[in-house]
Amino acid sequence: MKHDVIVIGGGAAGLMCALEAGRRGRSVLVLEHAERLGKKILISGGGRCNFTNLNTSPENFLSENPHFCKSALACYTPADFIALVEKHGIAYHEKKLGQLFCDFSSRQIVELLQKECAGARVEIRLNCEVQQLQKNLTFDLQTNQGPFQSDSLVIATGGLSFPKIGATDFGYRTAKQFGHKLTVTRPGLVPLTFSTEDQAAFGQLSGISIDAAASGNGMSFRENILFTHRGLSGPAILQISNYRGECDPIAIDLLPGQPAREILAAHRSTNKELKNVLGQYLPQRFVQEWCGRFVPSRPMNRYSTLELEEIARHLHHWEIQPADTEGYVKAEVTLGGVDTGELSSKTMESRRVAGLYFIGEVVDVTGWLGGYNFQWAWASGRAAGQFV
Ligand SMILES: Cc1cc2nc3c(=O)[nH]c(=O)nc-3n(C[C@H](O)[C@H](O)[C@H](O)COP(=O)(O)OP(=O)(O)OC[C@H]3O[C@@H](n4cnc5c(N)ncnc54)[C@H](O)[C@@H]3O)c2cc1C
């Protein structure tokens, strides 16, 4: 069966591309290997889908070419997606930092995309496995549901994170098949695991969260850090995980914006214990373990000025050397992907193979935590949808 456009992958980017192309009167077929569309959308944002971020700008994205995302993001902004959300009467709210979530359920975003696709006469096939793919005069696909052909082929199969809901390396394999280069891929927005020593000290603190700043590689994020059974998570840690090199330490400021030196100096002549002083600013259980590991707690008047200065420095710069990350199983995104050097930033079309497009997370563009990754999926899907 011949279509103008085949989109492989019925997730955020693929559905956006399909509905745009369909609206232009193109005959569009979406092939999705899972039994339902948009599974990642469904589990996103804790079931409420953080569908965009009001503050989206190119600086919120990582890529070997930081300029690549600019054109698509400029042509399809958060306001454009919000207009679509409002058209469908979906109630939403800003949680914090420009992050927009559905009031009720992520399911509403999948339904929105399905309705728009239906309105644009997009054909969707679920449980469809692509077994072979070739470019002759057309793109020729063999699948478990028979052969299909198209003039344009869009790869929207996403990244490697959350394999349990259907992530595959199909997009990367297809890129290689057509001679495209890949940048190194690794888990992004991912929790970090403790070294053996830190695990022994902090492994019991699971569930405790602290307003802190996590830094590394010249970037710093002020949000919560969350202790897990095996390490650290929470928004500040997930954000910095994107910037951290594989073996790099991270630094945590436990009292961001507060002058630790002055706080300690104010108690310098009292016999109050250090852990009780810190307990006024940080969770008591954490302070107990942190002091146990680094600074045995004593009455304040038993520390020298130098010791207090060192403690203050350590509170603002607690350096942690993680053992590893939790990997793709718990990563929200995949960093790296199809090298943008061989793609058009306006249309997402391959410069190697006419009619072949890559959109969404499979491309080497990764956003911060907070709705940026969906905004990239919508924007890159829209960009391709206008041209396929
Ligand atoms: C737990 C979790 C929570 C998240 N929360 C948010 C959030 O709140 N806000 C945000 O901006 N981002 C969030 N993200 C990231 C966001 O979900 C992704 O960046 C986004 O979905 C990428 O869109 P995509 O269309 O490129 O890929 P996907 O949405 O992953 O879609 C790819 C589709 O391709 C299908 N597919 C894969 N291989 C094949 C194949 N071989 N044949 C056919 N189909 C195939 C998949 O089943 C899937 O339907 C979250 C990610 C996770 C894992």
Side-chain angles (χ1 to χ4, degrees):
M1 215 184 308
K2 167 98 183 329
H3 291 77
D4 293 330
V5 185
I6 291 180
V7 178
I8 307 182
L15 294 175
M16 176 56 87
C17 176
L19 73 88
E20 279 295 332
R23 282 178 187 168
R24 289 175 41 236
R26 309 286 282 155
S27 64
V28 184
L29 171 67
V30 175
L31 303 180
E32 166 59 53
H33 75 155
E35 72 292 355
R36 64 184 301 180
L37 296 172
K39 278 183 154 185
K40 229 173 237 179
I41 302 175
L42 291 172
I43 61 162
S44 69
R48 298 224 165 131
C49 187
N50 177 192
F51 56 80
T52 192
N53 192 301
L54 294 173
N55 305 322
T56 302
S57 82
E59 285 71 48
N60 307 119
F61 295 84
L62 294 90
S63 170
E64 279 194 7
N65 176 3
H67 303 292
F68 181 80
C69 62
K70 288 182 177 172
S71 169
L73 291 173
C75 291
Y76 194 81
T77 65
D80 292 316
F81 194 75
I82 292 166
L84 197 55
V85 167
E86 288 178 352
K87 174 181 157 195
H88 286 260
I90 299 172
Y92 64 92
H93 61 279
E94 179 181 347
K95 197 166 168 193
K96 57 176 179 177
L97 305 169
Q99 301 168 5
L100 300 191
F101 285 76
C102 299
D103 284 359
F104 299 108
S105 167
S106 311
R107 217 177 326 114
Q108 295 172 290
I109 299 293
V110 177
E111 283 164 9
L112 171 163
L113 295 165
Q114 276 173 313
K115 280 185 201 156
E116 291 290 331
C117 281
R121 295 206 171 80
V122 172
E123 184 185 338
I124 292 173
R125 287 190 178 240
L126 301 174
N127 301 305
C128 186
E129 305 277 350
V130 178
Q131 291 150 343
Q132 253 189 42
L133 165 56
Q134 277 179 345
K135 168 104 205 252
N136 300 308
L137 282 178
T138 54
F139 288 95
D140 299 329
L141 285 74
Q142 292 296 333
T143 78
N144 60 342
Q145 298 183 21
F148 298 101
Q149 292 178 312
S150 65
D151 296 323
S152 296
L153 180 70
V154 184
I155 307 299
T157 45
L160 298 169
S161 60
F162 269 57
K164 67 177 174 200
I165 59 159
T168 69
D169 66 351
F170 181 90
Y172 307 116
R173 277 191 281 118
T174 307
K176 277 199 231 163
Q177 175 189 340
F178 287 108
H180 273 267
K181 279 192 262 172
L182 301 180
T183 65
V184 177
T185 48
R186 63 185 174 90
L189 300 178
V190 63
L192 304 173
T193 57
F194 281 137
S195 64
T196 315
E197 297 78 24
D198 285 336
Q199 175 66 27
F202 304 112
Q204 316 301 319
L205 298 181
S206 170
I208 287 183
S209 111
I210 298 175
D211 170 23
S215 313
N217 264 335
M219 290 299 288
S220 186
F221 292 93
R222 163 104 189 248
E223 277 194 72
N224 280 349
I225 63 169
L226 173 71
F227 288 82
T228 69
H229 290 292
R230 290 162 42 89
L232 288 172
S233 185
I237 297 296
L238 299 183
Q239 299 279 32
I240 207 64
S241 75
N242 272 359
Y243 287 92
R244 175 183 166 261
E246 217 172 323
C247 302
D248 294 347
I250 55 164
I252 294 179
D253 183 347
L254 290 164
L255 295 172
Q258 302 190 73
R261 198 160 168 245
E262 277 128 67
I263 290 170
L264 297 179
H267 295 85
R268 169 98 179 77
S269 53
T270 70
N271 60 3
K272 208 169 176 184
E273 283 241 356
L274 172 67
K275 63 182 180 193
N276 293 332
V277 173
L278 295 181
Q280 291 175 273
Y281 299 88
L282 294 161
Q284 195 67 57
R285 272 178 64 213
F286 166 75
V287 169
Q288 187 81 30
E289 301 304 335
W290 194 81
C291 286
R293 171 117 161 83
F294 301 115
V295 210
S297 178
R298 303 200 294 261
M300 291 297 286
N301 54 16
R302 302 241 211 106
Y303 292 103
S304 69
T305 308
L306 261 177
E307 282 173 322
L308 286 182
E309 282 188 0
E310 179 50 25
I311 296 168
R313 194 199 61 77
H314 203 177
L315 285 165
H316 283 307
H317 191 93
W318 173 26
E319 193 167 289
I320 297 184
Q321 181 63 59
D324 205 342
T325 75
E326 291 281 9
Y328 288 115
V329 178
K330 293 202 176 154
E332 283 203 11
V333 287
T334 301
L335 286 154
V338 178
D339 194 326
T340 59
E342 294 166 326
L343 300 179
S344 155
S345 62
K346 289 205 167 44
T347 66
M348 305 293 135
E349 188 176 10
S350 161
R351 293 192 202 283
R352 292 186 148 268
V353 182
L356 178 65
Y357 297 75
F358 292 90
I359 57 172
E361 200 179 310
V362 74
V363 178
D364 171 30
V365 174
T366 306
W368 290 7
L369 184 80
Y372 300 100
N373 285 294
F374 279 133
Q375 189 57 35
W376 169 246
W378 314 135
S380 58
R382 166 69 167 10
Q386 302 268 293
F387 282 88
V388 284

